[in-house]
Amino acid sequence: MTIRFRNRTEAGQMLAKHLTAYANREDVLVLGLPRGGVPVAFEVAKELNVPLDICLVRKLGVPTHKELAMGAIASGGVRVLNYEVVSWLGISSHTIDEVAAKELRELQRRDRAYRGEKPQPEVKNRTVILVDDGIATSSTMRAAIAVLRAQQAQRIVVAVPVAPPATCEQLRTEVDEVICLTAPEPLYAIGLWYEEFSQTSDEEVRDLLARGQLLSMTNDH
């Protein structure tokens, strides 16, 4: 069955219905992948009554085809490469390093913009629900998974509204659970599965994170 979502808010609310086992638990943390994953993650965290934060990952685009991911990087020096793409296009390690250096600057800029002085969330021994607005190539999601593994998350759940069937199957071998609401074949583009799919701005990410913090503070009392 294929579904189209009205917008990211609706997609997050629908995802949350499949994650009720994680509601009201102190060991659970929802991490959104900026930028588009954050509005979805906000709804999930709100419905489940658990804290919200972000997992910063940057796609490494092939210089000649920016949309095609040859890998991804994440906070803490994590780098995941898509060896199929790298060998198929014969991409040199010098090119990869150049792209990675540029994306690292953007990663650091976003970290300051979104989190300011706030420390990274503590994921050790916690159940982490990783949320994005959809998965196309999976390299950013896999970089996020690598980060959480390195930080010793106890359980990793990937929750997305839309992803290709093969990607979901592959990810099921890498994490504890995968929740995907619709798995169209072919996917074409994530935006096709949303009626409204405008760019999420830095301001929106900051605002949602602040609202998420307020929610968890009110819920603590």
Side-chain angles (χ1 to χ4, degrees):
M1 185 178 97
T2 51
I3 341 169
R4 277 189 87 211
F5 307 98
R6 207 165 40 236
N7 50 28
R8 291 182 178 91
T9 300
E10 183 189 68
Q13 290 162 349
M14 288 171 75
L15 259 185
K17 290 188 171 73
H18 294 261
L19 292 159
T20 50
Y22 299 102
N24 304 309
R25 279 177 39 185
E26 294 199 347
D27 63 322
V28 174
L29 174 68
V30 172
L31 294 183
L33 270 67
R35 288 189 281 225
V38 178
V40 184
F42 174 77
E43 296 300 327
V44 172
K46 185 170 80 175
E47 292 292 321
L48 300 184
N49 186 24
V50 295
L52 166 75
D53 212 303
I54 50 173
C55 184
L56 273 173
V57 183
R58 289 294 295 168
K59 182 173 78 178
L60 300 179
V62 174
T64 45
H65 314 274
K66 291 278 190 287
E67 277 312 295
L68 181 60
M70 57 181 176
I73 56 164
S75 315
V78 172
R79 184 192 285 194
V80 176
L81 291 179
N82 183 334
Y83 291 104
E84 274 175 44
V85 171
V86 170
S87 62
W88 174 51
L89 294 172
I91 300 163
S92 70
S93 53
H94 173 69
T95 302
I96 295 169
D97 288 344
E98 270 189 349
V99 174
K102 184 172 127 286
E103 292 302 345
L104 181 63
R105 285 194 292 277
E106 176 60 13
L107 190 81
Q108 289 163 340
R109 183 198 71 77
R110 285 190 179 195
D111 196 34
R112 285 192 300 274
Y114 302 154
R115 206 191 297 278
E117 298 303 309
K118 284 197 291 294
Q120 298 269 350
E122 181 61 64
V123 303
K124 191 175 179 177
N125 299 331
R126 290 177 85 172
T127 291
V128 180
I129 303 174
L130 266 182
V131 180
D132 207 350
D133 53 11
I135 299 176
T137 64
S138 88
S139 49
T140 41
M141 185 56 85
R142 291 168 103 148
I145 292 164
V147 172
L148 297 181
R149 286 248 177 280
Q151 294 173 340
Q152 299 173 326
Q154 187 160 5
R155 183 177 172 83
I156 302 173
V157 180
V158 168
V160 289
V162 57
T167 302
C168 294
E169 285 315 304
Q170 179 58 46
L171 286 172
R172 280 193 177 96
T173 65
E174 298 179 28
V175 296
D176 299 285
E177 192 180 352
V178 175
I179 305 284
C180 179
L181 302 181
T182 185
E185 183 67 80
L187 175 87
Y188 294 121
I190 294 167
L192 290 177
W193 305 96
Y194 287 84
E195 284 163 32
E196 197 273 312
F197 195 69
S198 56
Q199 283 272 2
T200 305
S201 66
D202 282 350
E203 286 67 38
E204 210 178 327
V205 171
R206 269 201 299 273
D207 175 53
L208 289 168
L209 279 176
R211 282 167 64 193
Q213 298 236 290
L214 277 176
L215 279 175
S216 51
M217 278 158 70
T218 15
N219 294 337
D220 283 346
H221 299 300

